[in-house]
Amino acid sequence: MEQHRTRSPRYGTPRGAPRLPPQGRGAGADGRPQRRPAAAVVRRPAPPVVLAVRRIARAVRRMPNPRLTGLGGGVFCGAVMLVLGCLDWLMFGSSLTVYSVLFLPVCTLTAVWIRKADLVTAPVVVPIAFAVGLLPVANGSNGADGLLMGLVTALATQAGWLYGGTLIAGLIVLVRRIRMMRRRRA
């Protein structure tokens, strides 16, 4: 029975020893293992969440891309929230939850559409617009005192939504600011 070396050929053959034929699968004529051709990359279908995010990103890219000044962003956000507050009062009977949920996309659009020079204003105008839009929704009675009391109560009970929308606007502004600084460096 013929014995083959177990040592890799890269260490060379001992002096005077005959050169043995290559062993094992995939060994080339020089005794070194041959590399297999790279296997085709098997791509798995993306999870549904990733596909949904991609669809949303494509839809956002197709949206109009206005650039609002700080004042324009405040007027836009305040006017939209006032209209949404009136619609909520007419259609849903002053539902604070519906109003608050509709506040989140308005925060996002305001933060995305504010121009780069006025980015700092987005997280400032968003809470002001929330309060402006609450005027028709706040259940107040007996004149100005009742309206003021309803407004304060609505702001207190919906503080989580208010903070959440402001946080969304702040995060979008922060990401845009970081991207802007990276572009300047490059």
Side-chain angles (χ1 to χ4, degrees):
M1 174 182 249
E2 183 178 338
Q3 289 186 348
H4 294 286
R5 283 181 288 131
T6 57
R7 267 182 133 180
S8 173
R10 71 175 180 204
Y11 294 109
T13 55
R15 293 186 191 185
R19 190 136 171 87
L20 299 173
Q23 300 178 18
R25 292 178 40 198
D30 61 351
R32 293 185 181 170
Q34 289 181 341
R35 290 189 178 184
R36 288 191 220 164
V41 176
V42 178
R43 293 189 184 238
R44 297 181 195 158
V49 173
V50 174
L51 294 176
V53 169
R54 288 179 187 165
R55 274 189 232 121
I56 290 171
R58 272 189 247 123
V60 167
R61 283 188 206 113
R62 286 189 302 247
M63 289 179 68
N65 195 14
R67 288 295 166 216
L68 301 171
T69 62
L71 180 61
V75 169
F76 163 76
C77 192
V80 170
M81 290 312 298
L82 187 63
V83 168
L84 288 175
C86 291
L87 288 174
D88 181 29
W89 175 66
L90 289 173
M91 294 173 59
F92 300 106
S94 299
S95 172
L96 289 174
T97 305
V98 171
Y99 175 78
S100 299
V101 169
L102 292 173
F103 172 65
L104 300 179
V106 175
C107 292
T108 304
L109 289 177
T110 303
V112 168
W113 285 350
I114 293 245
R115 65 184 185 153
K116 293 177 184 175
D118 297 325
L119 279 177
V120 179
T121 60
V124 174
V125 300
V126 165
I128 296 168
F130 186 84
V132 167
L134 272 179
L135 290 174
V137 179
N139 290 329
S141 58
N142 299 338
D145 291 341
L147 181 65
L148 183 64
M149 197 61 168
L151 183 66
V152 170
T153 303
L155 283 171
T157 59
Q158 301 303 311
W161 292 100
L162 176 62
Y163 293 150
T166 307
L167 181 66
I168 288 172
L171 289 175
I172 291 173
V173 164
L174 184 66
V175 168
R176 287 184 62 197
R177 190 68 173 219
I178 289 170
R179 288 179 65 197
M180 188 173 62
M181 289 179 0
R182 284 186 183 168
R183 283 184 190 148
R184 281 186 188 163
R185 286 185 193 160

